[in-house]
């Protein structure tokens, strides 16, 4: 019996060391460019699991008096990883989002609208959501709207035009549209777009390179908005997607269920993740360079397609404020597929702006949840 206890303690000690090592590597992911360190970037996906395991070991050793010194290993790892933990989980349980805006504040709404669900099959339960999505946008009374995967039709017989509707019915007369994708006959366009109730006095666009021909990324755009005489620069973008298709989600189920074809499924998923990580790392560097050039107080929002402990998020955020971390509570999941821990849509404000409140709205439209924040000049 004594031999068994000794073996068990040694086994748990080794497992604790392995868990802490993996946890710290997942934390280091925020500083390592995924072009070179894509394997470590993969660890970021299981950061929540590693965090729970490290906490579990800390609690476990508290109840083993002769091994209680091992508590310090987990405790020191958690302290070292605190910036990642704080980016992953917001600690403001008593913050409540109020529909009424504070005086002199600016309300921003960001949302990947998935082409207003116009192309989702009816049997998928998503078709016909456009009207409900527009009603939601109207009810929020935001001053600035930032949409990703925005779809515009110039063929009213098939799809209703969205830009005129938002301008006239929702009362956002000013906009700037990237038009990243366009059908050959010009009938349909898609990209990122900024709508504003305040005048847009200037704008810019930066299109990302596609060295290997991969697509499903949208440009970085910015609009300088004149808010009662005070210009504010609003950026939005949609970074490189993993390019998951229906088959890839099936492969994920194979991995979860440990089917016989798990090796083939894993190779397909890993390849797509590796390519997406590399592209997003390069795009994050380009975005950060543009943010640093802004002379006006600025905010960037959009679909980064990456998690809070990633190189992408860490690079773009820099010393800026994450509105959800500043005023929200919990994990703040914004992507509805794959995992309940995926927060990939953000509103980040530079230090010259004060974050008053922020909320993620879990509504059953699109495959992303909208995020809204109220900001104010300091």
């Amino acid at each position: 019996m004594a031999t068994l206890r000794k073996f068990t303690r040694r086994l748990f000690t080794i497992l604790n060391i392995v868990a802490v090592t993996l946890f710290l590597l997942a934390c280091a992911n925020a500083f390592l460019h995924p072009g070179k360190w894509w394997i470590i970037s993969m660890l970021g996906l299981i950061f929540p699991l590693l965090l729970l395991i490290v906490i579990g070991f800390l609690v476990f050793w508290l109840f083993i008096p002769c091994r209680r010194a091992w508590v310090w290993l987990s405790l020191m790892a958690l302290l070292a990883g605190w910036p990642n933990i704080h980016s992953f989980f917001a600690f403001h349980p008593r913050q409540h989002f109020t529909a009424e805006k504070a005086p002199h504040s600016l309300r921003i709404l960001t949302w990947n609208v998935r082409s207003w669900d116009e192309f989702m099959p009816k049997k998928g339960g998503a078709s016909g959501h456009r009207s409900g999505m527009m009603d939601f946008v109207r009810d929020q009374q935001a001053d600035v709207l930032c949409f990703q995967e925005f779809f515009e039709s110039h063929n009213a017989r098939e799809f209703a035009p969205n830009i005129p509707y938002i301008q006239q019915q929702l009362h956002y007369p000013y906009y700037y549209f990237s038009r990243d994708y366009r059908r050959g006959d010009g009938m349909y366009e898609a990209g990122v777009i900024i709508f504003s109730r305040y005048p847009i006095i200037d704008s810019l666009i930066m299109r990302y390179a596609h060295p290997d021909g991969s697509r499903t990324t949208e440009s970085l755009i910015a609009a300088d908005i004149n808010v009662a005489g005070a210009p504010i620069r609003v950026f939005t973008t949609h970074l490189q997607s993993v390019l998951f298709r229906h088959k890839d989600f099936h492969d994920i189920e194979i991995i979860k269920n440990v089917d016989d074809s798990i090796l083939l499924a894993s190779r397909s998923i890993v390849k797509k993740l590796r390519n997406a990580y590399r592209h997003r790392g390069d795009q994050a560097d380009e975005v950060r360079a543009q943010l640093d050039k802004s002379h006006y107080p600025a905010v960037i929002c959009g679909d980064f397609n990456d998690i809070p402990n990633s190189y992408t998020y860490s690079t773009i955020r820099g010393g800026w404020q994450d509105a959800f971390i500043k005023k929200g509570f919990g994990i703040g999941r914004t992507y509805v597929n794959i995992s309940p821990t995926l927060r990939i849509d953000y509103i980040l404000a530079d230090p010259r702006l004060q974050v008053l409140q922020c909320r993620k709205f879990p509504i059953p439209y699109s495959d992303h949840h909208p995020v809204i924040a109220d900001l104010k000049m300091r």
Side-chain angles (χ1 to χ4, degrees), residues 182-197:
R182 179 180 297 179
R183 208 172 80 168
D185 58 6
M187 298 302 289
Y188 307 111
E189 298 173 310
V192 290
I193 193 167
I194 298 172
F195 286 96
S196 174
R197 286 182 170 169

Side-chain angles (χ1 to χ4, degrees), residues 139-204:
D139 293 343
Q140 306 317 306
Q141 290 300 307
D143 301 296
V144 179
L145 309 174
C146 296
F147 295 129
Q148 303 83 46
E149 291 191 31
F150 182 88
F151 166 73
E152 177 63 7
S153 168
H154 299 287
N155 180 8
R157 291 177 298 177
E158 189 170 1
F159 297 108
N162 292 307
I163 291 178
Y165 183 88
I166 293 172
Q167 284 185 298
Q168 298 163 18
Q169 302 301 318
L170 304 189
H171 310 295
Y172 293 89
Y174 311 101
Y175 75 93
Y176 185 57
F177 187 20
S178 66
R179 294 184 170 87
D180 291 295
Y181 304 98
R182 179 180 297 179
R183 208 172 80 168
D185 58 6
M187 298 302 289
Y188 307 111
E189 298 173 310
V192 290
I193 193 167
I194 298 172
F195 286 96
S196 174
R197 286 182 170 169
Y198 294 101
I200 294 177
I201 56 178
D202 202 357
S203 60
L204 67 86

Side-chain angles (χ1 to χ4, degrees), residues 8-311:
T8 302
R9 288 169 184 169
R10 285 184 176 179
L11 176 62
F12 273 84
T13 301
I14 293 171
L15 291 176
N16 192 177
I17 294 172
V18 171
V20 165
T21 301
L22 293 176
F23 173 76
L24 293 176
L25 286 174
C27 293
N29 165 51
F31 312 102
L32 302 176
H33 194 291
K36 296 180 179 178
W37 305 94
W38 63 270
I39 294 179
I40 294 179
S41 296
M42 298 284 185
L43 289 175
L45 294 175
I46 59 171
F47 174 82
L49 176 61
L50 294 171
L51 175 61
L52 288 176
I53 292 173
V54 172
I55 294 174
F57 273 114
L58 185 149
V59 175
F60 173 77
W61 293 121
L62 284 174
F63 292 94
I64 310 295
C66 64
R67 294 276 179 155
R68 196 164 288 168
W70 284 100
V71 167
W72 289 101
L73 177 64
S74 295
L75 183 60
M76 296 304 293
L78 293 173
L79 290 175
W82 173 249
N84 297 72
I85 297 171
H86 188 44
S87 296
F88 168 70
F89 195 95
F91 296 89
H92 301 282
R94 295 186 180 181
Q95 291 284 344
H96 299 287
F97 190 90
T98 58
E100 184 178 353
K101 292 182 291 186
H104 311 296
S105 64
L106 182 75
R107 178 164 293 178
I108 296 179
L109 181 154
T110 182
W111 195 4
N112 182 325
V113 294
R114 191 172 58 175
S115 301
W116 302 101
D117 277 356
E118 297 279 28
F119 298 100
M120 296 301 294
K122 291 183 178 180
K123 64 181 180 180
S127 185
H129 281 167
R130 176 183 178 273
S131 178
M133 295 168 81
M134 289 292 187
D135 289 343
F136 170 82
V137 172
R138 176 190 287 110
D139 293 343
Q140 306 317 306
Q141 290 300 307
D143 301 296
V144 179
L145 309 174
C146 296
F147 295 129
Q148 303 83 46
E149 291 191 31
F150 182 88
F151 166 73
E152 177 63 7
S153 168
H154 299 287
N155 180 8
R157 291 177 298 177
E158 189 170 1
F159 297 108
N162 292 307
I163 291 178
Y165 183 88
I166 293 172
Q167 284 185 298
Q168 298 163 18
Q169 302 301 318
L170 304 189
H171 310 295
Y172 293 89
Y174 311 101
Y175 75 93
Y176 185 57
F177 187 20
S178 66
R179 294 184 170 87
D180 291 295
Y181 304 98
R182 179 180 297 179
R183 208 172 80 168
D185 58 6
M187 298 302 289
Y188 307 111
E189 298 173 310
V192 290
I193 193 167
I194 298 172
F195 286 96
S196 174
R197 286 182 170 169
Y198 294 101
I200 294 177
I201 56 178
D202 202 357
S203 60
L204 67 86
I205 184 169
M206 184 186 73
R207 302 192 187 277
Y208 302 113
H210 301 278
D212 58 0
S214 61
R215 300 293 288 175
T216 69
T217 184
E218 294 169 328
S219 300
L220 172 72
I221 63 173
D224 293 342
I225 298 171
N226 187 351
V227 182
I232 293 179
R233 179 165 294 181
V234 177
F235 292 88
T236 192
T237 190
H238 181 192
L239 301 185
Q240 181 67 47
S241 169
V242 183
L243 297 171
F244 277 168
R245 299 292 181 256
H246 179 74
K247 176 184 177 299
D248 298 303
F249 289 109
H250 177 66
D251 287 345
I252 291 172
E253 290 302 317
I254 289 176
I255 296 170
K256 287 181 180 179
N257 299 325
V258 197
D259 289 356
D260 292 340
S261 53
I262 185 173
L263 182 60
L264 185 62
S266 299
R267 286 177 177 173
S268 173
I269 297 299
V270 168
K271 182 179 179 181
K272 289 194 172 185
L273 286 171
R274 180 186 62 196
N275 291 337
Y277 280 131
R278 184 177 71 252
H279 288 308
R280 283 198 300 269
D282 293 338
Q283 291 165 3
D285 292 338
E286 295 181 71
V287 171
R288 185 68 254 171
Q290 288 296 328
L291 299 182
D292 290 339
K293 293 177 182 178
S294 178
H295 298 295
Y296 300 134
V299 56
I300 180 169
C301 50
D303 177 2
F304 294 178
N305 264 315
D306 225 329
I307 52 181
N309 64 311
S310 65
Y311 177 87

Side-chain angles (χ1 to χ4, degrees), residues 95-99 108-110 136 140 323-324 327-329 332 334 347 355 357-363 369-374:
Q95 291 284 344
H96 299 287
F97 190 90
T98 58
I108 296 179
L109 181 154
T110 182
F136 170 82
Q140 306 317 306
F324 180 79
K327 295 295 181 178
F329 177 71
T334 63
I347 297 177
V355 180
Q357 59 177 352
C358 181
R359 183 184 172 189
K360 180 264 300 187
F361 289 78
I363 56 178
H369 295 316
V371 182
I372 298 177
D374 288 355

